[in-house]
């Protein structure tokens, strides 16, 4: 359904950038159906100290951090955030080495894909990291999102494609019948042309 909604980019060699690892299978389908190239944009959520599923922010592979607008109410200290930031950057360095060098973004349509947006922090960090690379157009494509997440990312991209915005949104995983973990080996295999 996302590929159909992105049909205007079919045959124009868009760069589909999946947020690993969960969005890589979806990114492969979009890249194939649109006749584009698949790569990843490396960003990681910074989890709340009290709820590992709740993102209080995100960091990109260059160390640029994005904290959620409501971070000060999250009962998470800056010491925790600093520790999590260091751990996530180390993990992203390992993944970049495994995934290979980043594809050039400048002058291309970059379609950023994730499996869904709860807080939007991770996508916001990805969009900020990509915008400085001067894409021709920056498009967000997600199957599901919260209203708050869409409001957060709207000013950071040129276009948003979202299939569903449930009024009772609580978590991305609850919007799927099956929500398996995507392992690194599977993501690496899907990234191969």
């Amino acid at each position: 359904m996302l590929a159909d909604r992105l049909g205007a980019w079919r045959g124009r060699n868009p760069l589909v950038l999946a947020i690993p690892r969960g969005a890589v299978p979806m990114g492969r389908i979009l890249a194939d159906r649109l006749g584009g190239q698949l790569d990843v944009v490396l960003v990681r959520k910074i989890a709340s100290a009290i709820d590992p599923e709740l993102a209080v922010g995100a960091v990109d592979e260059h160390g640029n951090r994005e904290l959620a607008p409501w971070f000060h109410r999250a009962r998470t200290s800056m010491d925790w955030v600093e520790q999590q930031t260091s751990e996530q950057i180390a993990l992203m360095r390992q993944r970049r080495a495994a995934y290979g060098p980043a594809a050039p973004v400048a002058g291309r349509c970059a379609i950023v894909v994730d499996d869904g947006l709860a807080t939007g922090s991770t996508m916001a960090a990805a969009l900020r990291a990509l915008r400085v690379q001067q894409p021709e157009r920056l498009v967000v494509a997600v199957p599901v999102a919260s209203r708050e997440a869409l409001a957060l990312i709207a000013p950071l991209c040129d276009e948003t494609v979202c299939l569903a915005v449930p009024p009772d949104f609580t978590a991305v995983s609850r919007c799927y019948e099956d929500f398996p973990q995507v392992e690194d080996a599977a993501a690496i295999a899907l990234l191969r042309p």
Side-chain angles (χ1 to χ4, degrees):
M1 291 188 289
L2 277 174
D4 290 343
R5 293 274 301 271
L6 294 163
W9 297 103
R10 188 170 284 115
R12 296 170 63 186
N13 194 28
L15 177 58
V16 177
L17 294 164
I19 295 179
R21 294 171 307 202
V24 175
M26 191 180 319
R28 174 82 276 153
I29 293 167
L30 290 176
D32 290 348
R33 293 208 179 149
L34 299 175
Q37 177 185 0
L38 176 63
D39 197 5
V40 294
V41 55
L42 292 178
V43 289
R44 295 281 299 168
K45 79 175 178 181
I46 299 170
S48 157
I50 58 172
D51 181 358
E53 292 300 313
L54 177 65
V56 296
V59 61
D60 69 26
E61 66 182 304
H62 307 293
N64 301 308
R65 188 170 52 212
E66 174 95 16
L67 293 178
W70 44 265
F71 167 75
H72 64 282
R73 296 187 315 243
R75 295 188 292 168
T76 298
S77 71
M78 280 308 295
D79 287 341
W80 171 265
V81 169
E82 293 295 340
Q83 175 191 349
Q84 291 299 303
T85 298
S86 296
E87 289 175 13
Q88 298 306 330
I89 290 171
L91 177 61
M92 286 185 284
R93 285 188 183 132
Q94 292 171 355
R95 286 202 175 143
R96 179 54 71 197
Y99 294 164
V105 173
R108 296 183 73 181
C109 171
I111 301 172
V112 188
V113 182
D114 203 355
D115 49 18
L117 305 178
T119 67
S121 296
T122 304
M123 181 62 76
L127 295 171
R128 289 183 200 284
L130 292 166
R131 181 61 79 188
V132 298
Q133 298 177 52
Q134 301 180 333
E136 172 195 344
R137 191 151 176 87
L138 196 49
V139 178
V140 170
V142 293
V144 64
S146 69
R147 290 187 198 294
E148 297 79 12
L150 290 176
L152 176 68
I153 65 155
L156 304 175
C157 61
D158 300 309
E159 179 183 348
T160 303
V161 176
C162 179
L163 301 178
V165 185
D168 58 346
F169 185 96
T170 56
V172 171
S173 61
R174 292 189 180 187
C175 299
Y176 285 81
E177 287 181 18
D178 188 21
F179 197 69
Q181 290 292 320
V182 177
E183 300 301 326
D184 272 329
I188 291 167
L190 288 165
L191 287 167
R192 293 189 185 115

